[in-house]
Amino acid sequence: MRSVFHAALLSAGLLASGIALAQQAPPLQEQMTAAEFRAAGLDKLSADELAALNQWLQRRVGEETAVIAAQAREEGRKEVVEKNRGFFHFGSEEPIQSTIAGEFRGFGKGRRYTLANGQVWEQTDGASLAGVRRQDIGVRIRPGAIGGWWMQVDGYNTTARVERVE
């Protein structure tokens, strides 16, 4: 868990204003799905307790970002970024295999795809796969070489750039 935390902070530190960016991160309740928020027991916190937790996390992220940014400068940016790619995706570089729940009607920018595992992904590029109508189609989502994620459905070679929204 600590390495995932450091990987996320490292990448934020590489940005021109890493600390400022870290301090602007959305609160936990916006970063988690409602189910994840409940499963972690965070829905039981009062508004003041939740605000205090979010403030602590923001401060911690800022402190860790400064440390990681200094390490990144020492080790060389390219090497560190390559080693830690996928940080925006919860530290995981493992491909996701599931099915798209319900009907799949092809790719289109801005479309949302709900997977059987509960994840929701939104297409961010203009890839197109028109005329397709498949029910509960198999899907593979894999990390890209320099960040980002790519979705491909069973039986088709077209890939679409996606980002997880839930």
Side-chain angles (χ1 to χ4, degrees), residues 96-101 104 107 115 134-141 151-156:
I96 297 163
Q97 291 202 230
S98 187
T99 57
I100 294 177
F104 173 72
F107 290 132
L115 306 187
R134 299 272 307 270
Q135 193 71 25
D136 299 321
I137 192 170
V139 65
R140 179 182 166 134
I141 302 174
M151 175 184 283
Q152 184 175 10
V153 294
D154 289 350
Y156 300 92

Short mmCIF file of all heavy atoms in Angstrom, two decimals, residues 96-101 104 107 115 134-141 151-156:
data_model
loop_
_atom_site.label_atom_id
_atom_site.label_comp_id
_atom_site.label_asym_id
_atom_site.label_seq_id
_atom_site.Cartn_x
_atom_site.Cartn_y
_atom_site.Cartn_z
N ILE A 96 -7.76 -5.54 -16.93
CA ILE A 96 -9.06 -5.87 -16.35
C ILE A 96 -9.82 -6.67 -17.39
O ILE A 96 -9.93 -6.26 -18.55
CB ILE A 96 -9.83 -4.59 -16.00
CG1 ILE A 96 -9.06 -3.82 -14.93
CG2 ILE A 96 -11.25 -4.91 -15.55
CD1 ILE A 96 -9.48 -2.38 -14.80
N GLN A 97 -10.33 -7.82 -17.00
CA GLN A 97 -11.15 -8.62 -17.88
C GLN A 97 -12.51 -8.78 -17.24
O GLN A 97 -12.62 -9.14 -16.08
CB GLN A 97 -10.50 -9.98 -18.15
CG GLN A 97 -9.26 -9.82 -19.00
CD GLN A 97 -8.87 -11.08 -19.73
OE1 GLN A 97 -7.75 -11.47 -19.66
NE2 GLN A 97 -9.80 -11.67 -20.44
N SER A 98 -13.54 -8.47 -18.01
CA SER A 98 -14.90 -8.54 -17.51
C SER A 98 -15.83 -8.63 -18.71
O SER A 98 -15.40 -8.99 -19.81
CB SER A 98 -15.21 -7.29 -16.66
OG SER A 98 -16.46 -7.41 -16.02
N THR A 99 -17.08 -8.29 -18.50
CA THR A 99 -18.03 -8.14 -19.60
C THR A 99 -18.72 -6.80 -19.43
O THR A 99 -18.81 -6.28 -18.32
CB THR A 99 -19.09 -9.26 -19.62
OG1 THR A 99 -19.78 -9.27 -18.37
CG2 THR A 99 -18.47 -10.63 -19.87
N ILE A 100 -19.18 -6.25 -20.52
CA ILE A 100 -19.97 -5.03 -20.46
C ILE A 100 -21.40 -5.47 -20.15
O ILE A 100 -21.98 -6.26 -20.90
CB ILE A 100 -19.90 -4.23 -21.78
CG1 ILE A 100 -18.47 -3.72 -21.98
CG2 ILE A 100 -20.91 -3.09 -21.78
CD1 ILE A 100 -18.23 -2.98 -23.27
N ALA A 101 -21.92 -4.99 -19.04
CA ALA A 101 -23.26 -5.40 -18.61
C ALA A 101 -24.30 -4.83 -19.56
O ALA A 101 -24.30 -3.64 -19.85
CB ALA A 101 -23.52 -4.91 -17.19
N PHE A 104 -23.97 -3.66 -25.76
CA PHE A 104 -22.85 -2.85 -26.25
C PHE A 104 -23.21 -2.42 -27.67
O PHE A 104 -23.53 -3.24 -28.51
CB PHE A 104 -21.57 -3.68 -26.25
CG PHE A 104 -20.40 -2.99 -26.89
CD1 PHE A 104 -19.77 -1.93 -26.26
CD2 PHE A 104 -19.92 -3.41 -28.13
CE1 PHE A 104 -18.68 -1.30 -26.84
CE2 PHE A 104 -18.83 -2.79 -28.71
CZ PHE A 104 -18.22 -1.73 -28.08
N PHE A 107 -18.18 1.71 -30.03
CA PHE A 107 -17.43 2.78 -29.37
C PHE A 107 -17.89 4.14 -29.88
O PHE A 107 -18.29 4.29 -31.02
CB PHE A 107 -15.93 2.65 -29.64
CG PHE A 107 -15.29 1.48 -28.96
CD1 PHE A 107 -14.45 0.62 -29.66
CD2 PHE A 107 -15.48 1.24 -27.61
CE1 PHE A 107 -13.84 -0.45 -29.04
CE2 PHE A 107 -14.87 0.17 -26.98
CZ PHE A 107 -14.05 -0.68 -27.70
N LEU A 115 -19.23 -2.24 -16.46
CA LEU A 115 -18.77 -3.62 -16.48
C LEU A 115 -19.53 -4.46 -15.47
O LEU A 115 -20.09 -3.93 -14.51
CB LEU A 115 -17.27 -3.68 -16.18
CG LEU A 115 -16.35 -2.81 -17.05
CD1 LEU A 115 -14.89 -3.12 -16.71
CD2 LEU A 115 -16.62 -2.99 -18.53
N ARG A 134 -24.09 -6.07 -29.35
CA ARG A 134 -23.81 -7.34 -28.69
C ARG A 134 -24.26 -7.25 -27.24
O ARG A 134 -24.14 -6.21 -26.61
CB ARG A 134 -22.31 -7.65 -28.74
CG ARG A 134 -21.71 -7.80 -30.13
CD ARG A 134 -21.79 -9.20 -30.71
NE ARG A 134 -21.26 -10.22 -29.84
CZ ARG A 134 -20.00 -10.63 -29.84
NH1 ARG A 134 -19.13 -10.10 -30.65
NH2 ARG A 134 -19.62 -11.57 -29.01
N GLN A 135 -24.74 -8.34 -26.72
CA GLN A 135 -25.22 -8.41 -25.35
C GLN A 135 -24.13 -9.04 -24.47
O GLN A 135 -23.59 -10.08 -24.82
CB GLN A 135 -26.50 -9.24 -25.29
CG GLN A 135 -27.27 -9.15 -24.01
CD GLN A 135 -27.95 -7.81 -23.83
OE1 GLN A 135 -28.23 -7.10 -24.77
NE2 GLN A 135 -28.19 -7.46 -22.58
N ASP A 136 -23.82 -8.40 -23.35
CA ASP A 136 -22.86 -8.92 -22.37
C ASP A 136 -21.55 -9.37 -23.03
O ASP A 136 -21.05 -10.46 -22.80
CB ASP A 136 -23.46 -10.09 -21.57
CG ASP A 136 -24.68 -9.65 -20.78
OD1 ASP A 136 -24.66 -8.52 -20.24
OD2 ASP A 136 -25.65 -10.42 -20.69
N ILE A 137 -20.98 -8.50 -23.83
CA ILE A 137 -19.76 -8.80 -24.57
C ILE A 137 -18.54 -8.77 -23.65
O ILE A 137 -18.47 -7.96 -22.73
CB ILE A 137 -19.59 -7.81 -25.76
CG1 ILE A 137 -18.49 -8.29 -26.71
CG2 ILE A 137 -19.33 -6.40 -25.26
CD1 ILE A 137 -18.44 -7.50 -28.02
N GLY A 138 -17.59 -9.66 -23.89
CA GLY A 138 -16.36 -9.69 -23.13
C GLY A 138 -15.52 -8.45 -23.43
O GLY A 138 -15.52 -7.96 -24.56
N VAL A 139 -14.81 -7.96 -22.42
CA VAL A 139 -14.01 -6.75 -22.59
C VAL A 139 -12.70 -6.91 -21.83
O VAL A 139 -12.64 -7.58 -20.81
CB VAL A 139 -14.79 -5.50 -22.09
CG1 VAL A 139 -15.05 -5.57 -20.61
CG2 VAL A 139 -14.06 -4.23 -22.43
N ARG A 140 -11.67 -6.30 -22.40
CA ARG A 140 -10.36 -6.26 -21.74
C ARG A 140 -9.92 -4.81 -21.72
O ARG A 140 -9.94 -4.13 -22.75
CB ARG A 140 -9.35 -7.10 -22.51
CG ARG A 140 -7.99 -7.06 -21.88
CD ARG A 140 -7.00 -7.87 -22.70
NE ARG A 140 -5.67 -7.54 -22.27
CZ ARG A 140 -4.73 -8.41 -22.02
NH1 ARG A 140 -4.97 -9.68 -22.17
NH2 ARG A 140 -3.55 -8.02 -21.63
N ILE A 141 -9.52 -4.33 -20.55
CA ILE A 141 -9.02 -2.96 -20.40
C ILE A 141 -7.59 -3.10 -19.90
O ILE A 141 -7.34 -3.73 -18.88
CB ILE A 141 -9.88 -2.15 -19.43
CG1 ILE A 141 -11.33 -2.11 -19.93
CG2 ILE A 141 -9.32 -0.74 -19.26
CD1 ILE A 141 -12.30 -1.46 -18.98
N MET A 151 -9.46 0.08 -24.01
CA MET A 151 -10.50 -0.93 -23.96
C MET A 151 -10.62 -1.62 -25.32
O MET A 151 -10.58 -0.96 -26.36
CB MET A 151 -11.85 -0.28 -23.60
CG MET A 151 -13.02 -1.25 -23.64
SD MET A 151 -14.61 -0.42 -23.33
CE MET A 151 -14.52 -0.25 -21.57
N GLN A 152 -10.78 -2.94 -25.27
CA GLN A 152 -11.02 -3.72 -26.48
C GLN A 152 -12.08 -4.76 -26.14
O GLN A 152 -12.05 -5.36 -25.07
CB GLN A 152 -9.74 -4.41 -26.93
CG GLN A 152 -9.87 -5.16 -28.22
CD GLN A 152 -8.53 -5.72 -28.70
OE1 GLN A 152 -7.54 -5.70 -27.98
NE2 GLN A 152 -8.51 -6.21 -29.92
N VAL A 153 -13.02 -4.94 -27.06
CA VAL A 153 -14.08 -5.92 -26.84
C VAL A 153 -13.80 -7.17 -27.66
O VAL A 153 -13.12 -7.12 -28.69
CB VAL A 153 -15.48 -5.34 -27.18
CG1 VAL A 153 -15.85 -4.22 -26.24
CG2 VAL A 153 -15.56 -4.89 -28.62
N ASP A 154 -14.32 -8.29 -27.18
CA ASP A 154 -14.09 -9.58 -27.84
C ASP A 154 -14.58 -9.55 -29.29
O ASP A 154 -15.68 -9.06 -29.59
CB ASP A 154 -14.82 -10.69 -27.09
CG ASP A 154 -14.19 -11.01 -25.74
OD1 ASP A 154 -13.07 -10.51 -25.47
OD2 ASP A 154 -14.80 -11.76 -24.96
N GLY A 155 -13.73 -10.06 -30.17
CA GLY A 155 -14.11 -10.21 -31.57
C GLY A 155 -13.77 -9.02 -32.45
O GLY A 155 -14.02 -9.05 -33.65
N TYR A 156 -13.21 -7.94 -31.88
CA TYR A 156 -12.89 -6.74 -32.65
C TYR A 156 -11.49 -6.25 -32.29
O TYR A 156 -11.07 -6.32 -31.14
CB TYR A 156 -13.91 -5.62 -32.38
CG TYR A 156 -15.32 -6.04 -32.76
CD1 TYR A 156 -16.16 -6.62 -31.82
CD2 TYR A 156 -15.79 -5.85 -34.05
CE1 TYR A 156 -17.44 -7.02 -32.16
CE2 TYR A 156 -17.06 -6.24 -34.41
CZ TYR A 156 -17.89 -6.83 -33.46
OH TYR A 156 -19.15 -7.23 -33.80
#
